[in-house]
Amino acid sequence: MVASMSVEEKAGQLLMVPLFAGNPATDVKSLVQDSHVGSVVLLGNWNGGTTSVAKVSSTLQGYAPDNAKLLIGVDQEGGQVQHLTGSGFSDMPSAVEQGRLSTDALRSSAATWGRELKSAGVNVDLAPVAGTVSTASRSQNAPIGALDRDFGLDAAGNGQHAAAFITGMKSAGVMTTVKHFPGLGAVTGNTDFTDQGITDTTTKLDGGQVEGFRQALAARPDMVMMSLATYQAIDSSQPAAFSKTIIDDYLRAKLGFQGVVTSDSVSAEAVSSIPARDLGVRFVAAGGDLICIGDYENVGSIIDGLVSKAKSDAAFAQSLDRSAQRVLTLKINAGLAKSS
């Protein structure tokens, strides 16, 4: 499939663009049909229930070519991070509350939540969080602890509960995304909203909160989402999402994850100083595949950057091909794409 695609088509498969609650599906029609975008994330408070979301999902899939349908994702973690509500969707407890369940009970609950997503046409849950809060207090950890987004245990316990969540969702036919590698539990700032307090000075590879991800990866999640924080003891020169040391050399080569690696939203304040044209290029060059974008304003520049770099740099063109292959392999395995 990749060999038969244009550079523009391959680049489009590497983007996940937003559709905001209350807006029509036509907001992304041109991006899917003309820019070949292959994934959509539903953002905001979709409170119309499963029937309403299913209608939107069906419309979105109608924009995509028959041989490569869309990944349709949502942040459906529970508690304060549940974007889909209303009739047909459970009121999901926070991850901290989920962490108080046995792993068997969580697995069963996640299967129920997964069936709800499946009925709404959503095929990817951008969850669970596998990081472990290690700041002095939970409230000091803005991205995770303050929002009760972790399972509230030690790293191994977090990982075991993340694995149960993944397995439950998988039984319902919904793909999962363990995040935010290698963990946001030791920073104070939320990378979505600030570029301050987002340098982790303690996390190291082969220990600490990384153990939670190791446990979660044993359940074979479909995707791993990269953090936009910087890890001083691992690669102090750039955020994890742009670090070949963290993605290619560790997550892939050492931990053995060969699936799709996605970014946290590159529209975040944490990376706002980086030119939009460079965001996708840096991510793919580091070993990433699916670029999650939270703002339409950046989409055109990110695509242009990928296409321009691939046409001028043979080595990067090979990286682009590998990323497209991983995304399309995921889609084929999920019944969303076919090679002939």
Side-chain angles (χ1 to χ4, degrees):
M1 289 182 73
V2 171
S4 68
M5 286 178 166
S6 67
V7 175
E8 290 80 5
E9 288 171 326
K10 288 182 281 193
Q13 285 296 316
L14 306 190
L15 268 66
M16 176 176 272
V17 301
L19 179 63
F20 295 97
N23 291 5
T26 50
D27 276 10
V28 299
K29 183 177 182 180
S30 176
L31 291 175
V32 175
Q33 293 187 335
D34 301 329
S35 300
H36 316 291
V37 165
S39 301
V40 175
V41 57
L42 305 180
L43 294 179
N45 182 21
W46 294 75
N47 56 15
T50 54
T51 302
S52 175
V53 176
K55 184 177 180 180
V56 172
S57 298
S58 177
T59 301
L60 290 172
Q61 293 293 13
Y63 300 152
D66 288 339
N67 71 329
K69 291 300 183 181
L70 300 173
L71 297 176
I72 299 179
V74 66
D75 286 296
Q76 195 83 337
E77 300 173 16
Q80 297 182 60
V81 186
Q82 179 176 350
H83 287 259
L84 308 184
T85 59
S87 178
F89 290 115
S90 297
D91 185 8
M92 294 171 62
S94 70
V96 167
E97 294 173 279
Q98 294 173 35
R100 298 183 184 124
L101 301 174
S102 69
T103 52
D104 285 344
L106 178 54
R107 189 178 302 112
S108 177
S109 292
T112 297
W113 304 329
R115 287 190 292 270
E116 295 166 358
L117 292 176
K118 187 79 170 178
S119 73
V122 174
N123 48 44
V124 177
D125 192 358
L126 299 175
V129 172
T132 304
V133 176
S134 58
T135 50
S137 68
R138 296 185 59 77
S139 62
Q140 284 185 330
N141 179 235
I144 308 300
L147 300 174
D148 291 338
R149 298 176 70 194
D150 62 304
F151 294 108
L153 307 168
D154 57 26
N158 272 332
Q160 290 159 11
H161 279 70
F165 188 101
I166 291 163
T167 303
M169 283 281 167
K170 186 179 297 186
S171 73
V174 173
M175 293 172 276
T176 52
T177 310
V178 64
K179 61 188 187 184
H180 314 74
F181 193 81
L184 282 173
V187 299
T188 56
N190 187 330
T191 55
D192 285 341
F193 309 119
T194 183
D195 59 1
Q196 302 298 308
I198 59 170
T199 296
D200 179 325
T201 61
T202 59
T203 296
K204 298 179 180 179
L205 299 178
D206 294 322
Q209 60 179 322
V210 173
E211 180 59 26
F213 290 92
R214 190 190 306 275
Q215 298 273 350
L217 288 173
R220 300 178 67 84
D222 302 277
M223 298 196 286
V224 173
M225 179 182 288
M226 299 304 300
S227 159
L228 296 179
T230 299
Y231 296 81
Q232 189 169 295
I234 306 172
D235 182 350
S236 62
S237 64
Q238 57 202 332
F242 305 138
S243 171
K244 188 176 186 299
T245 298
I246 297 176
I247 301 178
D248 261 355
D249 298 348
Y250 189 77
L251 178 59
R252 294 202 188 279
K254 184 71 182 291
L255 296 185
F257 181 75
Q258 299 305 318
V260 169
V261 171
T262 182
S263 69
D264 205 347
S265 171
V266 294
S267 303
E269 186 64 28
V271 293
S272 60
S273 64
I274 299 172
R277 282 178 61 89
D278 296 341
L279 290 167
V281 171
R282 289 182 59 176
F283 180 61
V284 171
D289 306 307
L290 186 61
I291 305 152
C292 190
I293 304 170
D295 187 338
Y296 296 126
E297 183 180 332
N298 297 328
V299 174
S301 294
I302 289 172
I303 291 175
D304 289 346
L306 291 169
V307 170
S308 176
K309 184 70 171 176
K311 288 182 175 180
S312 64
D313 184 328
F316 182 80
Q318 290 183 334
S319 296
L320 190 80
D321 283 1
R322 282 193 295 271
S323 292
Q325 287 164 10
R326 283 191 284 255
V327 171
L328 287 166
T329 296
L330 179 67
K331 289 187 175 185
I332 290 169
N333 289 341
L336 295 170
K338 50 191 175 186
S339 58
S340 61

